Amino acid sequence: MPLWIGGPTLALLIVGVVDDAVAMRPLKKFLLQLLIVTAVVLAAPRFALAPWRLLNLVLAGVFLISTVNAFNLIDGLDGLAGGVGIAAALAAAGVAALHNDMSSVVQGLVIAGALAGFLVYNLHPASVFMGDGGALPLGLLLGILALHVGGLSGNFRLPHYAVPIMIMLVPLLDTAIVSVSRIATGTPVSLRGLDHSHHRLLALGLSDGRAVAVCWGLALLAGLCAVLISMMPSPYLIATLPFMLVAFGLVGLFMIDLTFEANSPSVVHRYLQGTARL
């Protein structure tokens, strides 16, 4: 593993273990993550997201800090993060295989294999738990791998954005759902809560196992879309991608709508102020 990947991954492992042990303040934890991700994007070979170096660094940094936190937040049920991580790693390996990048294929399969071994003990009822010490570095590794394989699709830039997002869709979509829901109800985004996608599935009456299976299925479907996007000619991709976005967007909107099960938006609107009222 290159030093620019191994060093920051180890640093995030330390941050996660310390947070598991003493529960860091959210701002301190985020600043440490930001410092580590900044080191990654400065040391890494250029990710092909934008023609300008500064914008390229910013976009890569935003994506990686998002995947680090999103993967950590999805770790809420036994087996959930492990299965979603396997789906993401296999999707990245599949994209890399289509473009003959065998080094990335091996990386994806190694991550998937490690998570499969972990999953044996993490399925419900779990005897081993991932915690921040596992989720934070995995979010970084998967994010880096997703960005790399997204850039294998040639000069047409749309797959460079769409492939990484699809590979990491379930964690990113969950974070978006929680963020929008909390902003819409005037709740601080940084608070811990039981309003993530898997919690909403449980509230609908699904068992832990079925809620995890739904998330795994969505992750596998998004991973398949990532593989298809990477091999599509640009005209077909332009025609197809909006339908993919609508399909996954409807899932997100349905989850957000569950926020207003007790009180409708028209009722909530009466007492909210500022951004939440908007």
Side-chain angles (χ1 to χ4, degrees):
M1 179 183 292
L3 182 60
W4 66 270
I5 298 178
T9 301
L10 179 60
L12 273 180
L13 170 63
I14 295 171
V15 171
V17 170
V18 172
D19 186 52
D20 286 333
V22 300
M24 289 184 187
R25 293 180 179 179
L27 180 58
K28 182 179 180 180
K29 180 179 172 183
F30 177 76
L31 290 176
L32 288 171
Q33 293 171 358
L34 188 60
L35 180 64
I36 293 168
V37 166
T38 300
V40 171
V41 297
L42 290 176
R46 183 170 175 266
F47 295 114
L49 295 174
W52 305 282
R53 175 170 170 76
L54 181 59
L55 181 58
N56 196 63
L57 293 175
V58 170
L59 290 175
V62 169
F63 181 79
L64 291 178
I65 198 71
S66 299
T67 60
V68 166
N69 284 283
F71 195 79
N72 184 34
L73 293 174
I74 202 71
D75 183 26
L77 293 176
D78 292 347
L80 177 55
V84 169
I86 290 172
L90 290 178
V95 174
L98 287 173
H99 296 278
N100 298 312
D101 185 347
M102 299 313 297
S103 174
S104 296
V105 172
V106 171
Q107 290 177 26
L109 292 179
V110 166
I111 294 173
L115 284 173
F118 167 77
L119 204 58
V120 172
Y121 303 97
N122 186 238
L123 289 173
H124 184 77
S127 58
V128 177
F129 302 93
M130 185 175 293
D132 286 17
L136 294 179
L138 273 169
L140 179 66
L141 285 175
L142 290 170
I144 291 172
L145 186 58
L147 277 179
H148 173 70
V149 300
L152 298 176
S153 302
N155 295 325
F156 185 48
R157 290 195 181 274
L158 189 53
H160 298 187
Y161 300 96
V163 168
I165 290 173
M166 284 295 179
I167 288 174
M168 298 298 292
L169 182 74
V170 168
L172 294 175
L173 185 60
D174 173 69
T175 300
I177 289 166
V178 172
S179 299
V180 172
S181 299
R182 292 183 181 180
I183 291 171
T185 54
T187 306
V189 174
S190 61
L191 289 180
R192 293 180 181 270
L194 300 177
D195 55 352
H196 289 274
S197 301
H198 41 280
H199 298 130
R200 295 167 191 256
L201 292 173
L202 295 178
L204 289 174
L206 275 68
S207 65
D208 282 28
R210 289 184 178 180
V212 168
V214 168
C215 294
W216 286 3
L218 190 63
L220 288 170
L221 179 60
L224 177 61
C225 288
V227 174
L228 293 175
I229 287 170
S230 73
M231 59 189 293
M232 278 185 181
S234 54
Y236 291 95
L237 176 57
I238 292 171
T240 304
L241 187 58
F243 293 98
M244 295 183 184
L245 296 178
V246 167
F248 290 115
L250 287 174
V251 173
L253 289 173
F254 171 72
M255 290 294 182
I256 292 171
D257 186 57
L258 295 177
T259 305
F260 303 101
E261 284 286 284
N263 294 307
S264 69
S266 61
V267 173
V268 175
H269 179 266
R270 296 173 189 171
Y271 59 82
L272 291 175
Q273 300 296 326
T275 306
R277 186 179 182 87
L278 176 63

